[in-house]
């Protein structure tokens, strides 16, 4: 009661009850003051240290600049922010249609000047229409070194080491070549001496740009496949408590995920049914949790593991998870119980 008198923000919680006598609650001969403390509530802050939640003091936190915080936030869930990639054929034909609508500048009476003006403008427009989406892809696909370590591991293990950067480099090379060829032929068209020469150089420029795009445009289609693959990756919320199911192949991890959560993994009676990471969600007592289904692990050294096993190790290494080891004590999974524990 002495402490309560020193708290100006405290309030009494009054209820209509036969056990309530003024400001006190009587029960079994005992009298308790009913006090609801509205302020001065202390909370503990936690940070992720080596995959565990550990308490930390506010004084130990080093302030970060706004730039560093924004980069960190952008790289969590980067796969869901990828730009939409159009097939190379659609980009080409759409650009040709738009360029063809470009007319010569009004007021030019000379036929030759009007034709070379129109040809130069159409080639310049075609070049820009082809290069603009390529620049957008190169700029908005995240650099792998800035990705979250978990997402970086997914890129390397799913697409192959170096393949992601190689495809982006091909797209950027195509963009530079389109700009170079487009400017060159637009300049030649602007220097034409007759209407016929301007028309020929316009057609030559279009054919050259089409040839380049047909020959090297497959890099755009490869980037389209990469975007589809990355968007299909599970969305991980680092702030939501996560349970990771780990065990040998075919021990029942996927069955547990299907029963306990919203996840619907494929379930078959043979090893390595799970070909990737799958996330499910659980709602319990007004709280949300994540549960992760992972490919099975075999008893061998890390350097001998396949990419599916390395996906499981990536989850354990880079995400703050609680780990549930799943065992098949019957041995019907193809591995004895003792080997599973080892």
């Amino acid at each position: 009661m002495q402490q309560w008198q020193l708290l100006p923000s405290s309030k009494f919680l009054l209820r209509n009850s036969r056990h309530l006598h003024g400001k006190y609650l009587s029960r079994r001969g005992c009298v308790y003051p009913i006090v609801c403390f509205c302020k001065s509530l202390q909370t503990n802050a936690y940070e992720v240290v080596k995959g565990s939640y550990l308490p930390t003091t506010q004084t130990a936190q080093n302030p970060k600049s706004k730039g560093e915080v924004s980069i960190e936030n952008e790289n969590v869930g980067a796969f869901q922010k990828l730009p939409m990639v159009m097939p190379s054929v659609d980009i080409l034909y759409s650009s040709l249609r738009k360029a063809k609508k470009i007319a010569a500048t009004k007021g030019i009476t000379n036929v030759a000047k009007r034709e070379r003006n129109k040809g130069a403008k159409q080639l310049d427009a075609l070049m820009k229409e082809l290069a603009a989406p390529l620049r957008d892809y190169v700029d908005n696909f995240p650099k792998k070194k800035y990705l979250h370590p978990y997402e970086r591991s997914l890129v390397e293990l799913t697409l192959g080491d170096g393949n992601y950067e190689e495809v982006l480099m091909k797209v950027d090379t195509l963009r530079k070549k389109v700009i170079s060829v487009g400017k060159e032929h637009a300049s030649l068209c602007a220097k034409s001496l007759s209407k016929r020469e301007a028309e020929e150089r316009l057609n030559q420029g279009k054919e050259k740009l089409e040839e380049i795009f047909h020959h090297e445009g497959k890099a755009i289609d490869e980037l389209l496949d990469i975007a589809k693959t990355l968007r299909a990756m599970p969305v991980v919320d680092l702030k939501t408590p996560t349970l990771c199911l780990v065990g040998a192949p075919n021990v029942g991890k996927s069955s547990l995920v299907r029963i306990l959560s919203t996840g619907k993994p494929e379930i078959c009676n043979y090893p390595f049914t799970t070909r990737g990471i799958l996330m499910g969600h659980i709602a319990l007592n007004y709280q949300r949790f994540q549960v992760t289904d992972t490919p099975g692990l075999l008893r061998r050294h890390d350097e001998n593991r396949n990419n599916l096993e390395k996906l499981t190790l990536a989850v354990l290494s880079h995400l703050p998870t609680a780990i549930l080891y799943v065992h098949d004590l019957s041995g019907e999974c193809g591995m004895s119980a003792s080997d599973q524990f080892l």
Side-chain angles (χ1 to χ4, degrees):
M1 289 298 296
Q2 291 177 354
Q3 293 179 354
W4 165 76
Q5 292 175 357
L6 297 177
L7 294 174
S9 60
S10 301
K11 295 181 181 179
F12 284 107
L13 181 63
L14 301 179
R15 296 179 180 174
N16 294 325
S17 174
R18 59 189 177 88
H19 300 291
L20 187 62
H21 301 282
K23 300 179 180 179
Y24 298 90
L25 178 66
S26 62
R27 184 181 180 185
R28 295 182 182 178
C30 299
V31 179
Y32 303 97
I34 304 177
V35 181
C36 177
F37 298 101
C38 300
K39 292 184 179 180
S40 304
L41 296 177
Q42 294 183 350
T43 58
N44 293 328
Y46 292 84
E47 67 178 0
V48 180
V49 180
K50 294 183 179 179
S52 302
Y53 288 103
L54 300 179
T56 179
T57 58
Q58 294 182 356
T59 56
Q61 296 178 354
N62 296 324
K64 292 184 178 182
S65 63
K66 294 183 179 180
E68 292 178 350
V69 173
S70 63
I71 290 177
E72 182 178 354
N73 292 338
E74 287 176 1
N75 291 328
V76 176
F79 297 157
Q80 281 65 51
K81 302 176 184 178
L82 297 176
M84 296 300 297
V85 181
M86 293 176 59
S88 58
V89 176
D90 293 350
I91 295 176
L92 177 59
Y93 291 147
S94 174
S95 301
L96 288 171
R97 285 195 305 269
K98 292 179 180 179
K100 191 175 182 179
K101 297 178 181 179
I102 302 298
T105 305
K106 294 183 179 180
I108 302 178
T109 57
N110 185 279
V111 177
K113 289 183 179 180
R114 186 168 61 248
E115 194 63 32
R116 67 181 179 223
N117 176 268
K118 184 182 74 171
K121 289 178 65 177
Q122 287 189 0
L123 287 174
D124 185 69
L126 178 59
M127 172 201 71
K128 291 179 179 178
E129 290 292 336
L130 292 174
L134 305 187
R135 178 182 292 277
D136 180 60
Y137 302 153
V138 173
D139 291 344
N140 293 312
F141 270 77
K143 302 295 185 291
K144 196 175 76 172
K145 63 180 180 180
Y146 295 134
L147 289 173
H148 186 275
Y150 166 69
E151 294 176 329
R152 194 183 312 136
S153 299
L154 289 183
V155 170
E156 294 173 352
L157 296 173
T158 306
L159 304 177
D161 191 13
N163 187 48
Y164 177 79
E165 301 94 321
E166 182 182 354
V167 172
L168 282 176
M169 188 179 298
K170 290 179 180 178
V171 173
D172 194 40
T173 301
L174 174 59
R175 180 189 66 84
K176 293 177 180 178
K177 187 174 292 188
V178 165
I179 292 176
S180 175
V181 173
K183 287 184 177 181
E184 178 185 354
H185 283 270
S187 177
L188 291 174
C189 189
K191 297 176 183 178
S192 302
L193 300 177
S194 64
K195 177 184 177 182
R196 182 176 179 180
E197 184 181 0
E199 292 176 346
E200 290 178 353
R201 290 185 173 178
L202 171 62
N203 293 329
Q204 290 175 0
K206 287 183 177 180
E207 291 175 0
K208 185 65 177 178
L209 288 173
E210 285 186 54
E211 180 185 352
I212 293 173
F213 222 78
H214 278 302
H215 186 259
E216 302 184 24
K218 58 182 180 181
I220 303 174
D221 299 325
E222 292 177 5
L223 189 64
L224 174 61
D225 293 336
I226 287 177
K228 291 180 180 179
T229 302
L230 295 181
R231 284 197 195 92
M233 294 294 176
V235 180
V236 179
D237 185 2
L238 299 181
K239 296 181 181 179
T240 302
T242 305
L243 176 66
C244 181
L245 271 57
V246 181
N250 203 31
V251 295
K253 300 184 295 296
S254 299
S255 299
L256 284 176
V257 170
R258 177 177 281 268
I259 293 172
L260 298 176
S261 74
T262 59
K264 301 300 178 185
E266 180 185 359
I267 298 176
C268 297
N269 189 23
Y270 54 83
F272 288 112
T273 305
T274 303
R275 309 293 296 178
I277 305 300
L278 186 139
M279 301 293 296
H281 294 86
I282 302 174
L284 181 65
N285 296 332
Y286 303 102
Q287 289 184 317
R288 287 179 61 83
F289 304 91
Q290 295 175 140
V291 59
T292 306
D293 186 18
T294 60
L297 292 176
L298 298 176
R299 186 189 172 192
R300 52 186 174 186
H301 296 290
D302 287 349
E303 57 268 16
N304 297 328
R305 298 192 184 278
N306 57 35
N307 282 356
L308 294 179
E309 294 176 283
K310 290 179 180 178
L311 282 175
T312 301
L313 298 183
V315 174
L316 302 181
S317 302
H318 303 306
L319 295 181
T321 64
I323 302 174
L324 176 63
Y325 291 99
V326 183
H327 299 273
D328 177 14
L329 301 182
S330 68
E332 294 181 0
C333 65
M335 185 182 298
S336 65
S338 59
D339 286 340
Q340 293 178 52
F341 279 106
L342 290 175

